[in-house]
Amino acid sequence: MGKENKPVLIDTNPGRSAQPYGIARELGTDEDLVHAPSIGVIGTKGDSQCYLGVQRKVEAIHERLRQRIGKGEDQIAMRLVQPEYTVATSDGMRNGTREMRYSLIGREVTNDTVCEHLSASGLEGTIAVVACDKPPVGTLSALLEHNRPSIIMSDGPIRPGRDSATEQPIDIVTGFQVAANPDPDYKKRIAREACPGYGSCGGMFTYNTMQTFIAVVGMQPLHMVAPPSDDPVRMNEFADELITHLYGMIQRGHTPRDIVGRDAIRNAVIVAMAVGGSTNVLLHAPEIARAAGFESFADEIMSPEEFNHLSQNVVPVLTDARPYGNYSMVDINEKGGVQAIVQELMQAGLLYGDTLTCTGETLAEQVARLNPPAPDGTVIYTVEQPYKPTGGLRVLGGNLSPEYSAVLKLAGVEGGLEDNLFKGTARLFDGERALLDALEHEPDSFQNHDMVIVRYEGPGGAPGMPEMLDSTSRITTLCRERDIVVALMTDARFSGGSVGLVIGHVGPEAAIGGPIAFVEDGDEIVVDLNSNEINCTQLQDAQVFASRQSAWEKQVADNGGIHPSCGDADTRLLNRMRESAVSAVYGAGMHPNRSLFVPKKRAAEQSGFVPSNKWREGSKKSFN
């Protein structure tokens, strides 16, 4: 779908008109508007504390919208549609379990559900209230595909908890980091006190990274990101503002693709660097770019080389935020909010100020109207005196990441990269469950400068590319207690709450014969941030590479075309992910034209990587 979409009207056929008249009577709106273009509110629901505040906000906005529907001079002459909701997985409750495979898939399911509602209902105006981290991206992607006037509001973060014994602020990541503690009473206290209210994760984890991204890209007013979920402003002032801004978009004819252009996406990526954001932004930004009409994020928005140049030399980290720092999004809100961060970057000349936003203003005009305070120097820092001198994310190439997909959250590294170099010894786990078992029962087996490698957990291999907050949190705690460095690399992904020397999105993934599949226990792994590469020393030998690749292909052939370490795709949804998953560099989503999303020729030639031509045939075998 594109800008040429026409509003879908209910025609005068009595059969098709009967229900609109009934709905108008039930909602108390003008029956003369049942043939007008439609407008409505959507939200997200799920088995999670993140979503508890969404429904009440959707209902509040819907009621305010109902009151403004009509044919009067100051009213909106449109047909009101009943609220609609999507479903999603609880990342916090599912981390470390096989159910976590559905988390990223939830982004795709949200996209499908919202797309069905928008397209089938023909909405000409939509307000979306979103929570957690995958549904907002799926929602934005669907809004971009539908491309009719729409606006987003994040439901808001949870307030931090407080340990009653130490009076220190805690959150859900604290709970994961004490998972290996032997004291059951201590663990129970942390679990009970970490999440005292409702709202999405409060640190600069994936949720707040992506809500900041969505605001900076122009689809959410900047000042609506940071206030906590339980702040009354979300039910009152924000509800009216959203309706006013949406109606303004409708009157001006502005659509999401008018707003989410190349410069706007670049702005959002730069801000994600500056807030030390989640590695997941490098999965979600390509998906948003795809939905906005760009074929390749790397070719049309920002290349890996430019991304690293900006992160290394231009964009510093401006926030002292969890999980790498001390403060929550609620603290950022009290010190000026996202608009204060954007203002600081804009004044330093690091952002395009003339990009259009959902308010009808340019980004610069919106910031000027909000008039945020200058950085306080404790929670939000200046570009000249930043919290950390370099950006929070780094993209890596090398012979283990020939697609240039691997990502390191540099802001969260706590040690091991002296002189920008780490050399470690490979310790292999085919699947996260094996790693969690070892961390639980054999923690002393992990040694200083181990490079833990978890594979067959990628988009197609798991399937679903689960995040590994449980594993990374246990490793972080182990390293702190023993004063050692244990790194982790995987073809899966991480939570925005993960810290440590962790490298995700390694691609091509092991399930399709990426080089990570050919590493063996004891190999030397070198992470070099001077060249931005991650290499296996043994695989630099062409004969070793060929021999190991041949042995891997035999395993696949003997198992009917799929590697035996891949997870079962025993539901329709998991099978769909396996059949249509694309690489992390394209967002790790579901695409029917999967053959279009292949490793770049030069990258494949450099590594010796040849994609398995048996993958699609073999993956069908695993679906029952």
Side-chain angles (χ1 to χ4, degrees), residues 6 14 31 37 51 102 112 181 190 213 264 315 375 426 450 469 499 503 510 515-516 524 531 564-565:
K6 302 293 184 183
E31 291 184 17
Y51 307 107
Y102 287 94
D112 289 348
N181 191 287
I190 295 299
F213 188 105
V315 182
D450 275 350
L469 179 58
V499 293
I503 299 168
I516 189 175
E524 181 183 64
S531 61
S565 294

mmCIF file with all atom_site columns, all heavy atoms in Angstrom, residues 6 14 31 37 51 102 112 181 190 213 264 315 375 426 450 469 499 503 510 515-516 524 531 564-565:
data_model
loop_
_atom_site.group_PDB
_atom_site.id
_atom_site.type_symbol
_atom_site.label_atom_id
_atom_site.label_alt_id
_atom_site.label_comp_id
_atom_site.label_asym_id
_atom_site.label_entity_id
_atom_site.label_seq_id
_atom_site.pdbx_PDB_ins_code
_atom_site.Cartn_x
_atom_site.Cartn_y
_atom_site.Cartn_z
_atom_site.occupancy
_atom_site.B_iso_or_equiv
_atom_site.pdbx_formal_charge
_atom_site.auth_seq_id
_atom_site.auth_comp_id
_atom_site.auth_asym_id
_atom_site.auth_atom_id
_atom_site.pdbx_PDB_model_num
ATOM 1   N N   . LYS A 1 6   ? -6.911  5.155   -1.480 1.00 0.00 ? 6   LYS A N   1
ATOM 2   C CA  . LYS A 1 6   ? -8.091  5.995   -1.351 1.00 0.00 ? 6   LYS A CA  1
ATOM 3   C C   . LYS A 1 6   ? -8.840  5.617   -0.077 1.00 0.00 ? 6   LYS A C   1
ATOM 4   O O   . LYS A 1 6   ? -8.855  4.459   0.318  1.00 0.00 ? 6   LYS A O   1
ATOM 5   C CB  . LYS A 1 6   ? -9.014  5.802   -2.564 1.00 0.00 ? 6   LYS A CB  1
ATOM 6   C CG  . LYS A 1 6   ? -8.346  6.118   -3.907 1.00 0.00 ? 6   LYS A CG  1
ATOM 7   C CD  . LYS A 1 6   ? -8.013  7.594   -4.031 1.00 0.00 ? 6   LYS A CD  1
ATOM 8   C CE  . LYS A 1 6   ? -7.450  7.913   -5.412 1.00 0.00 ? 6   LYS A CE  1
ATOM 9   N NZ  . LYS A 1 6   ? -7.067  9.323   -5.533 1.00 0.00 ? 6   LYS A NZ  1
ATOM 10  N N   . PRO A 1 14  ? -27.850 -1.390  1.397  1.00 0.00 ? 14  PRO A N   1
ATOM 11  C CA  . PRO A 1 14  ? -28.457 -1.591  2.722  1.00 0.00 ? 14  PRO A CA  1
ATOM 12  C C   . PRO A 1 14  ? -27.814 -2.697  3.533  1.00 0.00 ? 14  PRO A C   1
ATOM 13  O O   . PRO A 1 14  ? -27.716 -2.610  4.760  1.00 0.00 ? 14  PRO A O   1
ATOM 14  C CB  . PRO A 1 14  ? -29.920 -1.934  2.383  1.00 0.00 ? 14  PRO A CB  1
ATOM 15  C CG  . PRO A 1 14  ? -30.144 -1.329  1.042  1.00 0.00 ? 14  PRO A CG  1
ATOM 16  C CD  . PRO A 1 14  ? -28.834 -1.456  0.312  1.00 0.00 ? 14  PRO A CD  1
ATOM 17  N N   . GLU A 1 31  ? -25.820 9.314   12.951 1.00 0.00 ? 31  GLU A N   1
ATOM 18  C CA  . GLU A 1 31  ? -26.057 8.299   11.935 1.00 0.00 ? 31  GLU A CA  1
ATOM 19  C C   . GLU A 1 31  ? -25.785 8.817   10.525 1.00 0.00 ? 31  GLU A C   1
ATOM 20  O O   . GLU A 1 31  ? -25.513 8.039   9.603  1.00 0.00 ? 31  GLU A O   1
ATOM 21  C CB  . GLU A 1 31  ? -27.498 7.779   12.020 1.00 0.00 ? 31  GLU A CB  1
ATOM 22  C CG  . GLU A 1 31  ? -27.777 6.968   13.271 1.00 0.00 ? 31  GLU A CG  1
ATOM 23  C CD  . GLU A 1 31  ? -29.180 6.372   13.285 1.00 0.00 ? 31  GLU A CD  1
ATOM 24  O OE1 . GLU A 1 31  ? -29.807 6.316   12.207 1.00 0.00 ? 31  GLU A OE1 1
ATOM 25  O OE2 . GLU A 1 31  ? -29.639 5.970   14.365 1.00 0.00 ? 31  GLU A OE2 1
ATOM 26  N N   . PRO A 1 37  ? -15.534 8.670   5.883  1.00 0.00 ? 37  PRO A N   1
ATOM 27  C CA  . PRO A 1 37  ? -14.300 7.948   6.215  1.00 0.00 ? 37  PRO A CA  1
ATOM 28  C C   . PRO A 1 37  ? -14.217 7.668   7.715  1.00 0.00 ? 37  PRO A C   1
ATOM 29  O O   . PRO A 1 37  ? -14.726 8.442   8.527  1.00 0.00 ? 37  PRO A O   1
ATOM 30  C CB  . PRO A 1 37  ? -13.195 8.917   5.769  1.00 0.00 ? 37  PRO A CB  1
ATOM 31  C CG  . PRO A 1 37  ? -13.842 9.776   4.737  1.00 0.00 ? 37  PRO A CG  1
ATOM 32  C CD  . PRO A 1 37  ? -15.271 9.924   5.164  1.00 0.00 ? 37  PRO A CD  1
ATOM 33  N N   . TYR A 1 51  ? 1.358   -4.153  29.639 1.00 0.00 ? 51  TYR A N   1
ATOM 34  C CA  . TYR A 1 51  ? 0.142   -3.791  28.916 1.00 0.00 ? 51  TYR A CA  1
ATOM 35  C C   . TYR A 1 51  ? -1.019  -3.396  29.824 1.00 0.00 ? 51  TYR A C   1
ATOM 36  O O   . TYR A 1 51  ? -2.092  -3.046  29.332 1.00 0.00 ? 51  TYR A O   1
ATOM 37  C CB  . TYR A 1 51  ? -0.302  -4.959  28.033 1.00 0.00 ? 51  TYR A CB  1
ATOM 38  C CG  . TYR A 1 51  ? 0.778   -5.469  27.118 1.00 0.00 ? 51  TYR A CG  1
ATOM 39  C CD1 . TYR A 1 51  ? 1.416   -6.681  27.352 1.00 0.00 ? 51  TYR A CD1 1
ATOM 40  C CD2 . TYR A 1 51  ? 1.188   -4.722  26.018 1.00 0.00 ? 51  TYR A CD2 1
ATOM 41  C CE1 . TYR A 1 51  ? 2.422   -7.143  26.516 1.00 0.00 ? 51  TYR A CE1 1
ATOM 42  C CE2 . TYR A 1 51  ? 2.193   -5.175  25.173 1.00 0.00 ? 51  TYR A CE2 1
ATOM 43  C CZ  . TYR A 1 51  ? 2.811   -6.385  25.428 1.00 0.00 ? 51  TYR A CZ  1
ATOM 44  O OH  . TYR A 1 51  ? 3.808   -6.828  24.608 1.00 0.00 ? 51  TYR A OH  1
ATOM 45  N N   . TYR A 1 102 ? 8.675   -16.768 20.615 1.00 0.00 ? 102 TYR A N   1
ATOM 46  C CA  . TYR A 1 102 ? 7.527   -16.039 20.072 1.00 0.00 ? 102 TYR A CA  1
ATOM 47  C C   . TYR A 1 102 ? 7.643   -14.531 20.248 1.00 0.00 ? 102 TYR A C   1
ATOM 48  O O   . TYR A 1 102 ? 6.797   -13.786 19.742 1.00 0.00 ? 102 TYR A O   1
ATOM 49  C CB  . TYR A 1 102 ? 6.239   -16.528 20.747 1.00 0.00 ? 102 TYR A CB  1
ATOM 50  C CG  . TYR A 1 102 ? 5.810   -17.899 20.290 1.00 0.00 ? 102 TYR A CG  1
ATOM 51  C CD1 . TYR A 1 102 ? 6.183   -19.038 20.996 1.00 0.00 ? 102 TYR A CD1 1
ATOM 52  C CD2 . TYR A 1 102 ? 5.052   -18.059 19.135 1.00 0.00 ? 102 TYR A CD2 1
ATOM 53  C CE1 . TYR A 1 102 ? 5.802   -20.303 20.582 1.00 0.00 ? 102 TYR A CE1 1
ATOM 54  C CE2 . TYR A 1 102 ? 4.655   -19.322 18.710 1.00 0.00 ? 102 TYR A CE2 1
ATOM 55  C CZ  . TYR A 1 102 ? 5.039   -20.441 19.430 1.00 0.00 ? 102 TYR A CZ  1
ATOM 56  O OH  . TYR A 1 102 ? 4.653   -21.686 18.997 1.00 0.00 ? 102 TYR A OH  1
ATOM 57  N N   . ASP A 1 112 ? 0.633   -8.057  11.241 1.00 0.00 ? 112 ASP A N   1
ATOM 58  C CA  . ASP A 1 112 ? -0.463  -8.715  10.521 1.00 0.00 ? 112 ASP A CA  1
ATOM 59  C C   . ASP A 1 112 ? -1.823  -8.261  11.047 1.00 0.00 ? 112 ASP A C   1
ATOM 60  O O   . ASP A 1 112 ? -2.740  -7.958  10.278 1.00 0.00 ? 112 ASP A O   1
ATOM 61  C CB  . ASP A 1 112 ? -0.362  -10.239 10.676 1.00 0.00 ? 112 ASP A CB  1
ATOM 62  C CG  . ASP A 1 112 ? 0.806   -10.830 9.912  1.00 0.00 ? 112 ASP A CG  1
ATOM 63  O OD1 . ASP A 1 112 ? 1.408   -10.113 9.092  1.00 0.00 ? 112 ASP A OD1 1
ATOM 64  O OD2 . ASP A 1 112 ? 1.126   -12.006 10.142 1.00 0.00 ? 112 ASP A OD2 1
ATOM 65  N N   . ASN A 1 181 ? 21.687  -16.454 42.840 1.00 0.00 ? 181 ASN A N   1
ATOM 66  C CA  . ASN A 1 181 ? 21.942  -16.283 44.279 1.00 0.00 ? 181 ASN A CA  1
ATOM 67  C C   . ASN A 1 181 ? 21.362  -17.465 45.062 1.00 0.00 ? 181 ASN A C   1
ATOM 68  O O   . ASN A 1 181 ? 20.227  -17.885 44.802 1.00 0.00 ? 181 ASN A O   1
ATOM 69  C CB  . ASN A 1 181 ? 21.313  -14.975 44.756 1.00 0.00 ? 181 ASN A CB  1
ATOM 70  C CG  . ASN A 1 181 ? 21.754  -14.587 46.153 1.00 0.00 ? 181 ASN A CG  1
ATOM 71  O OD1 . ASN A 1 181 ? 21.344  -15.197 47.143 1.00 0.00 ? 181 ASN A OD1 1
ATOM 72  N ND2 . ASN A 1 181 ? 22.602  -13.580 46.232 1.00 0.00 ? 181 ASN A ND2 1
ATOM 73  N N   . ILE A 1 190 ? 13.489  -9.525  45.967 1.00 0.00 ? 190 ILE A N   1
ATOM 74  C CA  . ILE A 1 190 ? 13.785  -8.757  44.753 1.00 0.00 ? 190 ILE A CA  1
ATOM 75  C C   . ILE A 1 190 ? 12.656  -8.912  43.740 1.00 0.00 ? 190 ILE A C   1
ATOM 76  O O   . ILE A 1 190 ? 12.199  -7.942  43.125 1.00 0.00 ? 190 ILE A O   1
ATOM 77  C CB  . ILE A 1 190 ? 15.130  -9.186  44.143 1.00 0.00 ? 190 ILE A CB  1
ATOM 78  C CG1 . ILE A 1 190 ? 16.288  -8.855  45.093 1.00 0.00 ? 190 ILE A CG1 1
ATOM 79  C CG2 . ILE A 1 190 ? 15.346  -8.521  42.779 1.00 0.00 ? 190 ILE A CG2 1
ATOM 80  C CD1 . ILE A 1 190 ? 16.447  -7.382  45.403 1.00 0.00 ? 190 ILE A CD1 1
ATOM 81  N N   . PHE A 1 213 ? 12.908  6.236   19.522 1.00 0.00 ? 213 PHE A N   1
ATOM 82  C CA  . PHE A 1 213 ? 13.088  6.146   18.074 1.00 0.00 ? 213 PHE A CA  1
ATOM 83  C C   . PHE A 1 213 ? 11.814  6.607   17.357 1.00 0.00 ? 213 PHE A C   1
ATOM 84  O O   . PHE A 1 213 ? 11.859  7.424   16.422 1.00 0.00 ? 213 PHE A O   1
ATOM 85  C CB  . PHE A 1 213 ? 13.420  4.694   17.704 1.00 0.00 ? 213 PHE A CB  1
ATOM 86  C CG  . PHE A 1 213 ? 13.826  4.475   16.281 1.00 0.00 ? 213 PHE A CG  1
ATOM 87  C CD1 . PHE A 1 213 ? 15.160  4.245   15.947 1.00 0.00 ? 213 PHE A CD1 1
ATOM 88  C CD2 . PHE A 1 213 ? 12.888  4.449   15.256 1.00 0.00 ? 213 PHE A CD2 1
ATOM 89  C CE1 . PHE A 1 213 ? 15.545  4.036   14.633 1.00 0.00 ? 213 PHE A CE1 1
ATOM 90  C CE2 . PHE A 1 213 ? 13.257  4.228   13.944 1.00 0.00 ? 213 PHE A CE2 1
ATOM 91  C CZ  . PHE A 1 213 ? 14.596  4.025   13.627 1.00 0.00 ? 213 PHE A CZ  1
ATOM 92  N N   . ALA A 1 264 ? 14.704  11.347  8.664  1.00 0.00 ? 264 ALA A N   1
ATOM 93  C CA  . ALA A 1 264 ? 14.055  11.089  9.947  1.00 0.00 ? 264 ALA A CA  1
ATOM 94  C C   . ALA A 1 264 ? 14.571  9.792   10.568 1.00 0.00 ? 264 ALA A C   1
ATOM 95  O O   . ALA A 1 264 ? 14.807  9.724   11.785 1.00 0.00 ? 264 ALA A O   1
ATOM 96  C CB  . ALA A 1 264 ? 12.537  11.013  9.763  1.00 0.00 ? 264 ALA A CB  1
ATOM 97  N N   . VAL A 1 315 ? 29.099  10.645  17.826 1.00 0.00 ? 315 VAL A N   1
ATOM 98  C CA  . VAL A 1 315 ? 27.934  10.656  18.713 1.00 0.00 ? 315 VAL A CA  1
ATOM 99  C C   . VAL A 1 315 ? 28.285  10.045  20.071 1.00 0.00 ? 315 VAL A C   1
ATOM 100 O O   . VAL A 1 315 ? 28.532  8.839   20.168 1.00 0.00 ? 315 VAL A O   1
ATOM 101 C CB  . VAL A 1 315 ? 26.756  9.878   18.089 1.00 0.00 ? 315 VAL A CB  1
ATOM 102 C CG1 . VAL A 1 315 ? 25.530  9.953   19.005 1.00 0.00 ? 315 VAL A CG1 1
ATOM 103 C CG2 . VAL A 1 315 ? 26.422  10.424  16.706 1.00 0.00 ? 315 VAL A CG2 1
ATOM 104 N N   . PRO A 1 375 ? 20.694  20.098  29.612 1.00 0.00 ? 375 PRO A N   1
ATOM 105 C CA  . PRO A 1 375 ? 21.084  18.903  30.355 1.00 0.00 ? 375 PRO A CA  1
ATOM 106 C C   . PRO A 1 375 ? 21.511  19.232  31.781 1.00 0.00 ? 375 PRO A C   1
ATOM 107 O O   . PRO A 1 375 ? 22.198  20.236  32.022 1.00 0.00 ? 375 PRO A O   1
ATOM 108 C CB  . PRO A 1 375 ? 22.254  18.351  29.534 1.00 0.00 ? 375 PRO A CB  1
ATOM 109 C CG  . PRO A 1 375 ? 21.977  18.818  28.144 1.00 0.00 ? 375 PRO A CG  1
ATOM 110 C CD  . PRO A 1 375 ? 21.373  20.170  28.302 1.00 0.00 ? 375 PRO A CD  1
ATOM 111 N N   . ALA A 1 426 ? 36.871  -20.222 22.439 1.00 0.00 ? 426 ALA A N   1
ATOM 112 C CA  . ALA A 1 426 ? 35.489  -20.586 22.133 1.00 0.00 ? 426 ALA A CA  1
ATOM 113 C C   . ALA A 1 426 ? 34.999  -21.716 23.028 1.00 0.00 ? 426 ALA A C   1
ATOM 114 O O   . ALA A 1 426 ? 35.679  -22.726 23.223 1.00 0.00 ? 426 ALA A O   1
ATOM 115 C CB  . ALA A 1 426 ? 35.370  -21.002 20.665 1.00 0.00 ? 426 ALA A CB  1
ATOM 116 N N   . ASP A 1 450 ? 36.815  -16.799 28.406 1.00 0.00 ? 450 ASP A N   1
ATOM 117 C CA  . ASP A 1 450 ? 35.998  -17.691 27.582 1.00 0.00 ? 450 ASP A CA  1
ATOM 118 C C   . ASP A 1 450 ? 35.174  -16.829 26.631 1.00 0.00 ? 450 ASP A C   1
ATOM 119 O O   . ASP A 1 450 ? 34.694  -15.745 27.002 1.00 0.00 ? 450 ASP A O   1
ATOM 120 C CB  . ASP A 1 450 ? 35.026  -18.511 28.446 1.00 0.00 ? 450 ASP A CB  1
ATOM 121 C CG  . ASP A 1 450 ? 35.647  -19.765 29.016 1.00 0.00 ? 450 ASP A CG  1
ATOM 122 O OD1 . ASP A 1 450 ? 36.778  -20.119 28.609 1.00 0.00 ? 450 ASP A OD1 1
ATOM 123 O OD2 . ASP A 1 450 ? 35.004  -20.400 29.875 1.00 0.00 ? 450 ASP A OD2 1
ATOM 124 N N   . LEU A 1 469 ? 18.272  -12.486 27.915 1.00 0.00 ? 469 LEU A N   1
ATOM 125 C CA  . LEU A 1 469 ? 18.494  -11.718 29.134 1.00 0.00 ? 469 LEU A CA  1
ATOM 126 C C   . LEU A 1 469 ? 18.853  -12.621 30.303 1.00 0.00 ? 469 LEU A C   1
ATOM 127 O O   . LEU A 1 469 ? 19.678  -12.247 31.148 1.00 0.00 ? 469 LEU A O   1
ATOM 128 C CB  . LEU A 1 469 ? 17.250  -10.899 29.469 1.00 0.00 ? 469 LEU A CB  1
ATOM 129 C CG  . LEU A 1 469 ? 17.319  -10.051 30.736 1.00 0.00 ? 469 LEU A CG  1
ATOM 130 C CD1 . LEU A 1 469 ? 18.472  -9.061  30.684 1.00 0.00 ? 469 LEU A CD1 1
ATOM 131 C CD2 . LEU A 1 469 ? 16.000  -9.318  30.960 1.00 0.00 ? 469 LEU A CD2 1
ATOM 132 N N   . VAL A 1 499 ? 23.810  -6.505  29.673 1.00 0.00 ? 499 VAL A N   1
ATOM 133 C CA  . VAL A 1 499 ? 25.089  -5.793  29.723 1.00 0.00 ? 499 VAL A CA  1
ATOM 134 C C   . VAL A 1 499 ? 26.201  -6.828  29.646 1.00 0.00 ? 499 VAL A C   1
ATOM 135 O O   . VAL A 1 499 ? 25.973  -8.025  29.743 1.00 0.00 ? 499 VAL A O   1
ATOM 136 C CB  . VAL A 1 499 ? 25.233  -4.934  31.002 1.00 0.00 ? 499 VAL A CB  1
ATOM 137 C CG1 . VAL A 1 499 ? 24.242  -3.793  31.003 1.00 0.00 ? 499 VAL A CG1 1
ATOM 138 C CG2 . VAL A 1 499 ? 25.066  -5.784  32.257 1.00 0.00 ? 499 VAL A CG2 1
ATOM 139 N N   . ILE A 1 503 ? 27.721  -10.046 22.046 1.00 0.00 ? 503 ILE A N   1
ATOM 140 C CA  . ILE A 1 503 ? 27.625  -9.742  20.616 1.00 0.00 ? 503 ILE A CA  1
ATOM 141 C C   . ILE A 1 503 ? 26.520  -10.604 20.019 1.00 0.00 ? 503 ILE A C   1
ATOM 142 O O   . ILE A 1 503 ? 26.588  -11.840 20.060 1.00 0.00 ? 503 ILE A O   1
ATOM 143 C CB  . ILE A 1 503 ? 28.960  -10.013 19.905 1.00 0.00 ? 503 ILE A CB  1
ATOM 144 C CG1 . ILE A 1 503 ? 30.058  -9.117  20.490 1.00 0.00 ? 503 ILE A CG1 1
ATOM 145 C CG2 . ILE A 1 503 ? 28.827  -9.796  18.402 1.00 0.00 ? 503 ILE A CG2 1
ATOM 146 C CD1 . ILE A 1 503 ? 31.463  -9.507  20.075 1.00 0.00 ? 503 ILE A CD1 1
ATOM 147 N N   . ALA A 1 510 ? 23.705  -19.875 12.096 1.00 0.00 ? 510 ALA A N   1
ATOM 148 C CA  . ALA A 1 510 ? 24.227  -21.238 11.993 1.00 0.00 ? 510 ALA A CA  1
ATOM 149 C C   . ALA A 1 510 ? 23.295  -22.158 11.224 1.00 0.00 ? 510 ALA A C   1
ATOM 150 O O   . ALA A 1 510 ? 23.752  -23.061 10.507 1.00 0.00 ? 510 ALA A O   1
ATOM 151 C CB  . ALA A 1 510 ? 24.476  -21.805 13.388 1.00 0.00 ? 510 ALA A CB  1
ATOM 152 N N   . PRO A 1 515 ? 29.223  -19.030 9.007  1.00 0.00 ? 515 PRO A N   1
ATOM 153 C CA  . PRO A 1 515 ? 30.503  -19.453 9.587  1.00 0.00 ? 515 PRO A CA  1
ATOM 154 C C   . PRO A 1 515 ? 30.457  -19.750 11.080 1.00 0.00 ? 515 PRO A C   1
ATOM 155 O O   . PRO A 1 515 ? 31.272  -20.540 11.569 1.00 0.00 ? 515 PRO A O   1
ATOM 156 C CB  . PRO A 1 515 ? 31.421  -18.266 9.290  1.00 0.00 ? 515 PRO A CB  1
ATOM 157 C CG  . PRO A 1 515 ? 30.860  -17.668 8.047  1.00 0.00 ? 515 PRO A CG  1
ATOM 158 C CD  . PRO A 1 515 ? 29.379  -17.816 8.174  1.00 0.00 ? 515 PRO A CD  1
ATOM 159 N N   . ILE A 1 516 ? 29.523  -19.153 11.822 1.00 0.00 ? 516 ILE A N   1
ATOM 160 C CA  . ILE A 1 516 ? 29.425  -19.456 13.248 1.00 0.00 ? 516 ILE A CA  1
ATOM 161 C C   . ILE A 1 516 ? 29.166  -20.939 13.468 1.00 0.00 ? 516 ILE A C   1
ATOM 162 O O   . ILE A 1 516 ? 29.511  -21.491 14.519 1.00 0.00 ? 516 ILE A O   1
ATOM 163 C CB  . ILE A 1 516 ? 28.309  -18.605 13.903 1.00 0.00 ? 516 ILE A CB  1
ATOM 164 C CG1 . ILE A 1 516 ? 28.345  -18.737 15.434 1.00 0.00 ? 516 ILE A CG1 1
ATOM 165 C CG2 . ILE A 1 516 ? 26.937  -18.960 13.357 1.00 0.00 ? 516 ILE A CG2 1
ATOM 166 C CD1 . ILE A 1 516 ? 27.353  -17.825 16.146 1.00 0.00 ? 516 ILE A CD1 1
ATOM 167 N N   . GLU A 1 524 ? 40.309  -19.889 18.764 1.00 0.00 ? 524 GLU A N   1
ATOM 168 C CA  . GLU A 1 524 ? 40.574  -18.524 19.221 1.00 0.00 ? 524 GLU A CA  1
ATOM 169 C C   . GLU A 1 524 ? 39.606  -17.564 18.531 1.00 0.00 ? 524 GLU A C   1
ATOM 170 O O   . GLU A 1 524 ? 39.497  -17.540 17.308 1.00 0.00 ? 524 GLU A O   1
ATOM 171 C CB  . GLU A 1 524 ? 42.005  -18.112 18.902 1.00 0.00 ? 524 GLU A CB  1
ATOM 172 C CG  . GLU A 1 524 ? 42.331  -16.696 19.396 1.00 0.00 ? 524 GLU A CG  1
ATOM 173 C CD  . GLU A 1 524 ? 43.735  -16.250 19.025 1.00 0.00 ? 524 GLU A CD  1
ATOM 174 O OE1 . GLU A 1 524 ? 44.014  -16.119 17.811 1.00 0.00 ? 524 GLU A OE1 1
ATOM 175 O OE2 . GLU A 1 524 ? 44.543  -16.014 19.946 1.00 0.00 ? 524 GLU A OE2 1
ATOM 176 N N   . SER A 1 531 ? 39.300  -2.486  14.051 1.00 0.00 ? 531 SER A N   1
ATOM 177 C CA  . SER A 1 531 ? 38.858  -2.800  12.684 1.00 0.00 ? 531 SER A CA  1
ATOM 178 C C   . SER A 1 531 ? 37.374  -3.123  12.622 1.00 0.00 ? 531 SER A C   1
ATOM 179 O O   . SER A 1 531 ? 36.833  -3.370  11.551 1.00 0.00 ? 531 SER A O   1
ATOM 180 C CB  . SER A 1 531 ? 39.652  -3.995  12.138 1.00 0.00 ? 531 SER A CB  1
ATOM 181 O OG  . SER A 1 531 ? 39.441  -5.151  12.946 1.00 0.00 ? 531 SER A OG  1
ATOM 182 N N   . PRO A 1 564 ? 20.444  -30.925 12.964 1.00 0.00 ? 564 PRO A N   1
ATOM 183 C CA  . PRO A 1 564 ? 19.736  -31.499 14.116 1.00 0.00 ? 564 PRO A CA  1
ATOM 184 C C   . PRO A 1 564 ? 19.659  -30.575 15.333 1.00 0.00 ? 564 PRO A C   1
ATOM 185 O O   . PRO A 1 564 ? 18.825  -30.801 16.220 1.00 0.00 ? 564 PRO A O   1
ATOM 186 C CB  . PRO A 1 564 ? 20.535  -32.766 14.437 1.00 0.00 ? 564 PRO A CB  1
ATOM 187 C CG  . PRO A 1 564 ? 21.868  -32.581 13.787 1.00 0.00 ? 564 PRO A CG  1
ATOM 188 C CD  . PRO A 1 564 ? 21.609  -31.758 12.568 1.00 0.00 ? 564 PRO A CD  1
ATOM 189 N N   . SER A 1 565 ? 20.500  -29.544 15.404 1.00 0.00 ? 565 SER A N   1
ATOM 190 C CA  . SER A 1 565 ? 20.453  -28.634 16.549 1.00 0.00 ? 565 SER A CA  1
ATOM 191 C C   . SER A 1 565 ? 19.405  -27.538 16.406 1.00 0.00 ? 565 SER A C   1
ATOM 192 O O   . SER A 1 565 ? 19.180  -26.778 17.349 1.00 0.00 ? 565 SER A O   1
ATOM 193 C CB  . SER A 1 565 ? 21.831  -27.988 16.766 1.00 0.00 ? 565 SER A CB  1
ATOM 194 O OG  . SER A 1 565 ? 22.788  -28.947 17.155 1.00 0.00 ? 565 SER A OG  1
#
